[in-house]
Amino acid sequence: MDANRTALDTAADLPLEDLSTRLSGDVVTPTDLAYDDARRVWNGMVNAYPTAIAYCHSVGDVVASVSFARDHGLDVSVRSGGHSVSGASVVSGSLVVDCSQMEWVRIDPDERTARVGPGATWGTVDRAAQSFGLATPGGVYTETGVAGLTLGGGTGYLSPKHGFAADNLRSIDVVTADGERVTADADGREDLLWAARGGGTVGVVTAFEFELHPLDHDVAYFESWLPLDEATPSLRTYRDFQRTAPDEACVFPYFGSVPATAAFPADRHGDDALVLAGAYTGVPENAREVCDPFVAHEAAFASTFDAMSYLDLQSMMDDDFPDGRRYYWKSVPLATLDDGTLEALSEAAERAASTLSTIVLWPMHGAVERIDTETSPVVGRDAVAVANVEAAWDDPLATTENVEWVRETCRRLRGDGAVSGTLPNFAGGTEPDAEDVYAENAARLRAVRERYDPTGIFTHERA
Ligand SMILES: Cc1cc2nc3c(=O)[nH]c(=O)nc-3n(C[C@H](O)[C@H](O)[C@H](O)COP(=O)(O)OP(=O)(O)OC[C@H]3O[C@@H](n4cnc5c(N)ncnc54)[C@H](O)[C@@H]3O)c2cc1C
């Protein structure tokens, strides 16, 4: 039976109107006109048919929804920002506990903390924190949810200086599988806090508390576009730079196609290219000197270097990932950037099945690797860089070749010397060949899950 029919039949057999009367928010079912919009997520590849979607406005709504699911034998999927690349927040047959309306942020400038509701996006948090000259590492796209990004680790421009988003998480409020409200912090339920620092969904998080850091000056951003045949020598420069890179520098080379815009020479439009891109989050006076090997690269056919506010930096990529396009992403933590790996990266970029696709090398130096590995389930911190292989395309008939390009590229890069595990946020989904994301931490994470979710209502999450 297809997933749509199953959702209709399951919903028809359940007293969903009882749940409706207990929530402040709506409960959307497969017979509602709003159902198709409500089940949609950012990635156009995802086409799941949940049994119902419960829009929660309060912790009480979350408790009622989780209790309803448990009492009626439904799995729970949790949606906050809706930007899970694999679509893990809207699973066929589940009750979706939607926290997107629980969007609030409270900054305590004296304690330098932010308390954040699960529906908040990074754009909201950054704006609130910056009004006090403060910030904490988040993603590089304003619309991603604080919830999913943090529960999957969370890398951004401030990560070399302050670690992953999850490394800055001080406490969480959670509704567990049995409907209990609990707090996890340094004084209690440390195992639950540990799991939330990148280990995915163990319960529904209804509040996050982050440490904030001073950031009250402009930052810098640069890009230098180079022909693909310059990629290997240029990435050697990057490799040398990374050995002693300051914590304020977040240089992330990526491969892509030259856009057909006036910013680029017309004879380069559509060519494959390597882009040496990066942010410098220290004081602007030092930025140019640090970024110079990349900005002044002699082979560059286009380059920019700009000082800007941290908020402008954080929203620079907002037009690059439109809703509804098809995406398939995976990542490989690289133990080395030896010449074999660099050549494999260039070859993969040349083979990409879509001009919208990219491979990004995300740096892992500084605070990310210094932080005590015992404090979080995320592994692979000793990688030199993480290669995020990101396919994007519009034609539904091109799905197989794009997915295969990502898988084949990751297979080759793993063969060329990968660190075990991978960044949870870019793990590529819940398909059977999904990587062993948590490697040596998997058993410990499983034990926490079994403690707080013994019947496994959240077990469709990253295992
Ligand atoms: C355009 C784009 C840019 C990105 N950039 C970055 C980046 O710079 N750095 C980075 O690290 N990642 C990045 N990511 C990956 C992103 O962090 C993950 O996709 C993340 O899961 C999105 O979180 P969300 O809340 O928006 O998603 P959702 O789809 O709402 O949720 C994602 C996951 O978290 C779970 N979850 C959500 N809310 C809760 C909750 N309240 N309690 C318990 N579990 C919950 C869901 O069940 C699901 O498994 C990016 C993704 C996109 C699409």
Side-chain angles (χ1 to χ4, degrees):
M1 200 186 297
D2 67 24
N4 188 10
R5 188 74 250 163
T6 307
L8 271 164
D9 291 349
T10 312
D13 287 344
L14 289 170
L16 284 163
E17 55 295 343
D18 290 355
L19 176 60
S20 236
T21 57
R22 289 161 62 197
L23 293 200
S24 326
D26 293 337
V27 176
V28 176
T29 70
T31 51
D32 289 326
L33 278 177
Y35 180 71
D36 271 339
D37 271 348
R39 69 187 181 86
R40 196 166 292 142
V41 289
W42 163 81
N43 189 350
M45 277 270 278
V46 178
N47 182 27
Y49 293 90
T51 297
I53 296 140
Y55 285 94
C56 296
H57 289 192
S58 66
V59 180
D61 284 358
V62 174
V63 171
S65 302
V66 171
S67 303
F68 181 91
R70 190 198 54 231
D71 293 349
H72 294 91
L74 289 173
D75 278 349
V76 172
S77 39
V78 192
R79 179 169 62 184
S80 289
H83 280 74
S84 158
V85 183
S86 64
S89 49
V90 178
V91 173
S92 286
S94 71
L95 176 70
V96 177
V97 173
D98 184 296
C99 301
S100 60
Q101 312 294 309
M102 296 168 71
E103 184 180 19
W104 49 266
V105 181
R106 271 181 236 122
I107 305 294
D108 183 332
D110 300 322
E111 292 295 320
R112 288 193 186 152
T113 56
R115 273 188 73 75
V116 179
T121 59
W122 280 105
T124 318
V125 173
D126 287 339
R127 278 192 297 277
Q130 277 288 275
S131 67
F132 294 97
L134 298 168
T136 199
V140 301
Y141 185 75
T142 58
E143 290 300 312
T144 43
V146 169
L149 186 135
T150 305
L151 295 169
T155 51
Y157 302 123
L158 292 178
S159 292
K161 183 120 178 106
H162 300 299
F164 293 141
D167 297 331
N168 290 274
L169 188 59
R170 294 289 162 263
S171 84
I172 45 169
D173 292 348
V174 182
V175 173
T176 58
D178 60 5
E180 199 190 340
R181 306 163 195 226
V182 300
T183 296
D185 57 22
D187 299 324
R189 296 194 175 82
E190 291 99 320
D191 56 348
L192 191 54
L193 180 62
W194 174 82
R197 288 183 173 146
T201 303
V202 179
V204 184
V205 181
T206 55
F208 296 80
E209 184 175 298
F210 293 96
E211 183 177 349
L212 299 174
H213 309 275
L215 206 177
D216 57 1
H217 51 74
D218 272 0
V219 296
Y221 180 81
F222 67 87
E223 278 191 1
S224 282
W225 288 69
L226 312 173
L228 196 61
D229 55 13
E230 289 290 336
T232 298
S234 310
L235 287 173
R236 283 191 201 116
T237 309
Y238 172 70
R239 175 177 69 197
D240 296 343
F241 173 83
Q242 279 305 115
R243 289 197 181 109
T244 55
D247 291 359
E248 290 78 11
C250 179
V251 182
F252 57 100
Y254 68 90
F255 293 88
S257 293
V258 181
T261 68
F264 301 95
D267 61 343
R268 299 280 185 188
H269 290 177
D271 284 0
D272 292 326
L274 172 76
V275 188
L276 295 169
Y280 183 82
T281 57
V283 288
E285 298 85 270
N286 300 341
R288 184 65 206 221
E289 190 187 336
V290 174
C291 304
D292 222 42
F294 306 108
V295 180
H297 200 291
E298 56 188 17
F301 56 83
S303 59
T304 58
F305 174 86
D306 295 305
M308 61 184 70
S309 71
Y310 179 66
L311 292 179
D312 284 345
L313 174 70
Q314 285 291 84
S315 58
M316 278 194 63
M317 303 212 181
D318 281 2
D319 294 334
D320 295 348
F321 304 96
D323 286 22
R325 180 165 277 167
R326 286 156 193 276
Y327 301 93
Y328 186 81
W329 298 357
K330 273 179 181 288
S331 77
V332 179
L334 301 170
T336 158
L337 285 174
D338 61 16
D339 282 5
T341 305
L342 299 185
E343 272 148 30
L345 286 163
S346 288
E347 279 164 27
E350 217 168 355
R351 280 187 294 106
S354 161
T355 55
L356 301 170
S357 299
T358 180
I359 304 173
V360 187
L361 288 184
W362 200 259
M364 296 285 280
H365 69 289
V368 165
E369 62 172 345
R370 279 197 302 270
I371 278 161
D372 179 359
T373 52
E374 280 296 301
T375 60
S376 149
V378 180
V379 296
R381 289 173 185 266
D382 49 342
V384 179
V386 169
N388 285 342
V389 186
E390 305 179 1
W393 68 102
D394 289 316
D395 179 1
L397 297 177
T399 296
T400 307
E401 55 191 295
N402 278 286
V403 169
E404 194 40 46
W405 173 71
V406 175
R407 290 184 177 163
E408 177 57 21
T409 300
C410 290
R411 267 195 295 272
R412 286 192 195 186
L413 291 175
R414 283 198 176 275
D416 276 309
V419 172
S420 61
T422 191
L423 285 186
N425 273 337
F426 301 99
T430 48
E431 71 227 25
D433 76 338
E435 308 87 322
D436 178 10
V437 175
Y438 297 102
E440 64 269 23
N441 283 333
R444 184 173 166 193
L445 185 57
R446 236 182 345 265
V448 181
R449 285 180 192 287
E450 279 162 14
R451 180 167 174 208
Y452 290 95
D453 180 18
T455 59
I457 66 174
F458 300 112
T459 47
H460 58 272
E461 293 293 337
R462 305 165 184 126

